[in-house]
Amino acid sequence: MERGNLTVTKFILLGFTTDPVMQLVLFVVFLGVYSVTLLGNNILIKLICNDARLHTPMYFFIGNLSFLDLWYSSVYTPKILVICISEDKSISFAGCVAQSFFSAGLGSSECYLLAAMAYDRYVAIANPLLYAQAMPRRLCVCLVVFSYIGGFLNAIILTSNTFTLDFCGDNIIDDFFCDIPPLVKLACDVRDSYQCVLYFLLAINVIAPTLLILASYLFIIAVILRIHSTQGRLKAFSTCSSHLVSVTLYYGSILYIYSRPSSSYSLVGDKMVSIFYTVLFPILRNKDVKEALKKLFRLAQSGA
């Protein structure tokens, strides 16, 4: 990438702080969070794969979501850990492109997958006796495959448009990874066509899945209200409560960062939100892991 008479071969990631003590503290915190994320999601995936009693559509989607979390957090956290303890805070131009590509692809895939999970929860509550027939294995696989295809098509469009911008400012990224807002801040001139591409991708990857999720939950609420017993209502709602929390936090974070014009990007605020949905958010979903473990233990006790 040419910049005047110079060639941009790398970017400098500022990270969070230059204080050595705080960098060490952050290293320990992020290493602990990353370790728990890896352990929890690996346990859940192994349980779902090895126990036939968990071979249901709901746990099929949860397993795929755990796989996405593993991959997603691994795009960022290893580099964050290096930045915290190393004096070399650079990332190559190719490495920045790869990080942005996988970030966009996995993030968009998760948006579609969460929408598919909302539909799955609706079917499970509305037709519990016909759940397996209404959500056959083939349909579940197709929904997951289409989620990945849609997500990485988005990544190709976003990455190709972003890294063909002219970077005429400093090559210093005021963030802990190669995210779109700080990269756009380095560009000489952001064309209106680029902003239109961002809004188009936001519409098909965030707004459209959000509308599908809202529609699913409106139907879920209607079904729950028809349940006469309070215990039955609570049991039905508990099957989708963790998913609803995940959707609210994840989509809220993405909309906060990417729905604004590039001129209004606030790098300090965006950095805090980014660390939430890239590093901390996967560990918050360990409720699914605990629920899966509890269900497995209950099944084991009932089968003993």
Side-chain angles (χ1 to χ4, degrees):
M1 176 70 66
E2 295 292 333
R3 188 185 68 189
N5 295 324
L6 301 175
T7 300
V8 177
T9 59
K10 64 180 180 180
F11 294 97
I12 306 299
L13 300 171
L14 292 184
F16 302 94
T17 178
T18 57
D19 183 3
V21 176
M22 282 303 301
Q23 286 181 340
L24 184 59
V25 171
L26 290 172
F27 174 83
V28 174
V29 171
F30 290 138
L31 180 61
V33 170
Y34 186 49
S35 299
V36 173
T37 299
L38 291 179
L39 180 62
N41 286 292
N42 271 302
I43 290 175
L44 180 57
I45 292 171
K46 186 175 181 180
L47 285 175
I48 293 173
C49 290
N50 293 342
D51 196 296
R53 293 168 294 183
L54 297 179
H55 292 177
T56 64
M58 182 180 74
Y59 281 96
F60 175 77
F61 287 118
I62 290 177
N64 278 279
L65 192 62
S66 292
F67 175 73
L68 265 179
D69 282 343
L70 283 175
W71 196 359
Y72 196 47
S73 59
S74 296
V75 170
Y76 309 105
T77 311
K79 188 62 180 178
I80 293 173
L81 295 175
V82 171
I83 292 173
C84 287
I85 61 173
S86 174
E87 294 183 0
D88 182 12
K89 302 183 184 302
S90 64
I91 182 171
S92 68
F93 185 85
C96 192
V97 173
Q99 197 176 66
S100 296
F101 173 77
F102 285 107
S103 168
L106 295 170
S108 300
S109 298
E110 186 156 338
C111 288
Y112 293 127
L113 188 58
L114 287 171
M117 291 177 70
Y119 173 72
D120 170 70
R121 301 297 165 94
Y122 162 68
V123 175
I125 293 174
N127 299 293
L129 299 179
L130 300 175
Y131 179 44
Q133 291 83 353
M135 294 294 296
R137 183 77 171 183
R138 183 176 179 180
L139 175 60
C140 295
V141 171
C142 286
L143 289 173
V144 171
V145 171
F146 288 149
S147 296
Y148 279 106
I149 292 175
F152 280 94
L153 283 176
N154 162 74
I156 292 172
I157 297 171
L158 181 60
T159 307
S160 61
N161 277 274
T162 299
F163 285 91
T164 52
L165 295 173
D166 294 323
F167 297 107
C168 58
D170 294 329
N171 65 334
I172 299 176
I173 298 177
D174 189 9
D175 211 330
F176 59 93
F177 74 105
C178 291
D179 200 7
I180 300 302
L183 282 169
V184 172
K185 282 287 187 181
L186 301 181
C188 306
D189 183 31
V190 180
R191 299 178 296 273
D192 290 338
S193 59
Y194 177 78
Q195 201 69 52
C196 290
V197 169
L198 288 184
Y199 286 138
F200 169 73
L201 295 176
L202 184 71
I204 63 173
N205 292 291
V206 180
I207 305 300
T210 299
L211 293 176
L212 292 174
I213 291 172
L214 288 175
S216 296
Y217 273 100
L218 286 175
F219 285 117
I220 288 173
I221 292 173
V223 172
I224 292 177
L225 291 177
R226 289 200 298 266
I227 299 175
H228 298 293
S229 67
T230 303
Q231 185 177 1
R233 290 181 179 180
L234 292 175
K235 183 178 180 181
F237 183 75
S238 67
T239 63
C240 55
S241 59
S242 62
H243 176 263
L244 185 59
V245 172
S246 296
V247 167
T248 303
L249 295 177
Y250 187 70
Y251 280 82
S253 301
I254 292 178
L255 286 171
Y256 172 79
I257 292 180
Y258 298 108
S259 63
R260 293 167 295 153
S262 58
S263 58
S264 65
Y265 288 152
S266 171
L267 296 182
V268 176
D270 291 354
K271 190 187 299 186
M272 299 306 296
V273 177
S274 295
I275 195 65
F276 171 76
Y277 80 83
T278 57
V279 179
L280 299 179
F281 182 65
I283 198 173
L284 295 178
R285 269 210 293 257
N286 274 348
K287 181 180 179 182
D288 287 330
V289 178
K290 291 185 288 186
E291 291 299 323
L293 289 171
K294 289 178 182 177
K295 181 173 181 179
L296 181 63
F297 291 146
R298 288 197 298 267
L299 289 172
Q301 290 175 354
S302 63

